[in-house]
Amino acid sequence: SQELEQSPQSLIVQEGKNLTINCTSSKTLYGLYWYKQKYGEGLIFLMMLQKGGEEKSHEKITAKLDEKKQQSSLHITASQPSHAGIYLCGAAGGQGAQKLVFGQGTRLTINP
Amino acid sequence: ETGVTQSPTHLIKTRGQQVTLRCSSQSGHNTVSWYQQALGQGPQFIFQYYREEENGRGNFPPRFSGLQFPNYSSELNVNALELDDSALYLCASSLGGYQETQYFGPGTRLLVL
């Protein structure tokens, strides 16, 4: 079965600094989703990547998909307190499957 | 357009009891997926319903069961509760197509004593 590993597991950065979160899959990625979760709450959809080399941006968050490396990265530029939370990557299960397999999450803390 | 809603927000039960969690899907969505998220872990897929039929199941025992209604809302039922069932239960709705994005509700936090 497919497994996703996120690194780092937790991250503390100074406000205004850039940061990167990685997500590595044990199998081929057919689609990769990034979600953000405030502690104990639901997941907020950030973006979805489908093709190798694809890159998407929303405000100060950029995600890339390296299909050959079975890896995705999430980069935040000039971090703000509103970026704090848990970031989760989720992979589509393959052809015809809609279930998502998630990584364990990366807890991001922004210090003022 | 209303988002995904879940009820109740919190619930406390004792071992051996039964529980029903409810989910209303986002307007226009015909697919509902349920996930269990233990503390400090990523969500684990329980099962999915598409147009009132089960459309895939994760590695959960039969005491986890579900329903989807004609209006595409859904229920998750758990019988014979165990301490390890304590978790955040998340419902997500989507359109019934390949790689359609799943939109999550706020979750129901279940504590089993």
Side-chain angles (χ1 to χ4, degrees):
Chain A
S1 61
Q2 185 168 27
E3 292 183 358
L4 296 180
E5 184 172 336
Q6 290 185 233
S7 62
Q9 292 191 13
S10 65
L11 193 54
I12 302 173
V13 301
Q14 202 74 23
E15 184 178 350
K17 297 294 187 184
N18 303 336
L19 63 105
T20 300
I21 298 169
N22 293 305
C23 174
T24 303
S25 173
S26 60
K27 293 188 175 183
T28 302
L29 286 165
Y30 292 101
L32 193 288
Y33 299 78
W34 283 100
Y35 289 88
K36 179 185 174 185
Q37 183 178 33
K38 289 287 188 182
Y39 180 74
E41 298 180 8
L43 278 60
I44 299 167
F45 171 69
L46 295 176
M47 54 192 92
M48 184 232 183
L49 305 165
Q50 279 183 292
K51 303 173 186 176
E54 187 173 11
E55 180 175 320
K56 286 187 178 178
S57 292
H58 177 67
E59 297 180 342
K60 294 186 178 180
I61 301 176
T62 300
K64 301 179 186 179
L65 179 62
D66 186 332
E67 206 170 56
K68 289 182 181 177
K69 291 185 179 178
Q70 297 178 177
Q71 190 176 63
S72 178
S73 61
L74 186 83
H75 184 77
I76 298 177
T77 304
S79 58
Q80 301 169 353
S82 60
H83 289 130
I86 299 169
Y87 289 82
L88 290 151
C89 62
Q95 283 287 347
Q98 281 198 41
K99 78 171 191 178
L100 292 178
V101 174
F102 284 93
Q104 79 277 28
T106 295
R107 183 181 292 272
L108 173 63
T109 302
I110 308 294
N111 283 337
Chain B
E1 180 182 296
T2 56
V4 180
T5 60
Q6 291 185 243
S7 63
T9 55
H10 296 83
L11 205 49
I12 300 175
K13 292 284 188 178
T14 55
R15 268 173 39 181
Q17 284 189 311
Q18 178 265 342
V19 69
T20 298
L21 309 182
R22 294 179 175 83
C23 171
S24 290
S25 59
Q26 186 169 310
S27 176
H29 288 179
N30 55 21
T31 302
V32 172
S33 304
W34 286 92
Y35 294 82
Q36 181 196 66
Q37 186 178 25
L39 207 58
Q41 302 295 319
Q44 299 284 322
F45 176 75
I46 303 175
F47 45 55
Q48 181 180 91
Y49 280 84
Y50 170 66
R51 293 186 176 181
E52 303 179 61
E53 297 286 331
E54 189 177 289
N55 184 40
R57 188 179 181 92
N59 189 25
F60 280 81
R63 59 189 186 84
F64 285 78
S65 63
L67 279 175
Q68 187 179 32
F69 300 99
N71 66 355
Y72 303 131
S73 65
S74 178
E75 284 183 356
L76 163 66
N77 298 291
V78 187
N79 293 323
L81 284 167
E82 301 177 359
L83 297 180
D84 284 349
D85 295 334
S86 296
L88 182 67
Y89 288 85
L90 295 161
C91 157
S93 76
S94 58
L95 294 170
Y98 177 58
Q99 288 190 359
E100 289 289 342
T101 297
Q102 296 185 22
Y103 295 90
F104 285 78
T108 293
R109 176 141 326 258
L110 172 64
L111 178 61
V112 182
L113 302 176

